[in-house]
Amino acid sequence: MNSDRLSEIENNLRAPALNVRKNALDELAEIPADIAVPILQKLAREENFALRRLAVMGLGNHRSEASFQALQQTIAQEADGNVIAEAANSIFEFGEPAIPILQQLFEISDNWLVRQTVISLLVETDRFDVLLTLAIAALKDETQTVREAGILALKKVLSSPLKDEALSVLTIMAQDSYWRNRWRAAIALHGTQDSQAKQLLSQLQRDEHWRVVAAALEGTLAEK
């Protein structure tokens, strides 16, 4: 590809129209990483957070060491939660090497979007140990939606050798004073054949809040 076309792509990445930006990003995905990554690294230094977010989206399209390092740098230095969350999505595409980076990101971040993003990504893996650790940590978060993401993540752990640990946490959540935590616990228990889990669902069917009861009943019906 000639330099004029590359310059045009760079300009289009900064265009006011979103569709023009997206088309430029898609075209850049087809260009070799040694050419595309420096363009995206330059874009990642823009003042506009939307452009920086676009840059980390693009870096996820190139599985190169330079791209991986650039995403790590963004995660370490970026201040905007939207950009960091997008960087987490992109670095997740690199597989197992990304897991410790995402775990550390969750542990040091106080941004609700970042923390929810990391948990949702790890649910897609078989790293049950990391997922359990972060799910328990999420229960202490100040943001309710992060706490709920942690409770729901325990559903994945129920299908692992760490099932008993997950059930212990869900037992506590099933007795929590806040109905939303009991509600999420009921949803997390859906589909498991464990006798303790069934007992918890039976208990939640008699809950004082109708949403909790409905979720527990749905979980029981799903087993039949």
Side-chain angles (χ1 to χ4, degrees), residues 8 24-25 36 48 102 201-202 212:
E8 185 177 356
L25 197 67
N48 186 326
L102 292 171
L201 281 172
S202 177
V212 179

Side-chain angles (χ1 to χ4, degrees), residues 153-185:
L154 292 170
K155 179 178 179 62
K156 179 67 178 283
V157 186
L158 288 176
S159 63
S160 79
L162 297 174
K163 176 188 69 173
D164 290 343
E165 288 88 337
L167 271 175
S168 294
V169 179
L170 286 170
T171 299
I172 296 171
M173 290 297 101
Q175 300 167 350
D176 194 83
S177 60
Y178 189 31
W179 71 268
R180 290 189 67 93
N181 292 335
R182 302 194 305 275
W183 172 46
R184 293 306 194 184

Side-chain angles (χ1 to χ4, degrees), residues 37-205:
V37 170
I39 293 174
L40 293 166
Q41 287 176 304
K42 188 189 302 182
L43 189 67
R45 294 191 290 269
E46 290 282 350
E47 290 187 11
N48 186 326
F49 88 91
L51 294 180
R52 300 198 305 275
R53 183 172 179 267
L54 188 70
V56 296
M57 288 175 63
L59 287 169
N61 294 327
H62 297 279
R63 311 287 178 80
S64 70
E65 182 61 26
S67 181
F68 188 74
Q69 294 299 327
L71 287 166
Q72 278 189 278
Q73 184 176 11
T74 294
I75 288 172
Q77 299 178 358
E78 176 62 51
D80 189 277
N82 292 280
V83 180
I84 299 172
E86 197 62 61
N89 277 307
S90 289
I91 206 167
F92 180 70
E93 298 298 325
F94 287 81
E96 188 65 25
I99 302 300
I101 297 169
L102 292 171
Q103 181 175 5
Q104 182 182 44
L105 173 60
F106 182 94
E107 291 169 348
I108 66 175
S109 177
D110 61 1
N111 182 279
W112 69 268
L113 177 60
V114 171
R115 297 191 112 203
Q116 283 185 221
T117 298
V118 170
I119 288 182
S120 68
L121 291 170
L122 291 176
V123 166
E124 301 301 319
T125 74
D126 291 330
R127 287 300 304 273
F128 304 111
D129 55 334
V130 177
L131 184 58
L132 177 63
T133 297
L134 298 193
I136 292 173
L139 300 180
K140 302 174 184 178
D141 198 283
E142 295 181 356
T143 303
Q144 177 61 25
T145 54
V146 177
R147 293 196 291 269
E148 291 181 28
I151 296 170
L152 293 172
L154 292 170
K155 179 178 179 62
K156 179 67 178 283
V157 186
L158 288 176
S159 63
S160 79
L162 297 174
K163 176 188 69 173
D164 290 343
E165 288 88 337
L167 271 175
S168 294
V169 179
L170 286 170
T171 299
I172 296 171
M173 290 297 101
Q175 300 167 350
D176 194 83
S177 60
Y178 189 31
W179 71 268
R180 290 189 67 93
N181 292 335
R182 302 194 305 275
W183 172 46
R184 293 306 194 184
I187 295 172
L189 290 163
H190 285 189
T192 178
Q193 298 301 311
D194 184 89
S195 59
Q196 183 181 346
K198 290 182 178 181
Q199 184 177 356
L200 285 174
L201 281 172
S202 177
Q203 168 191 320
L204 290 167
Q205 288 173 19

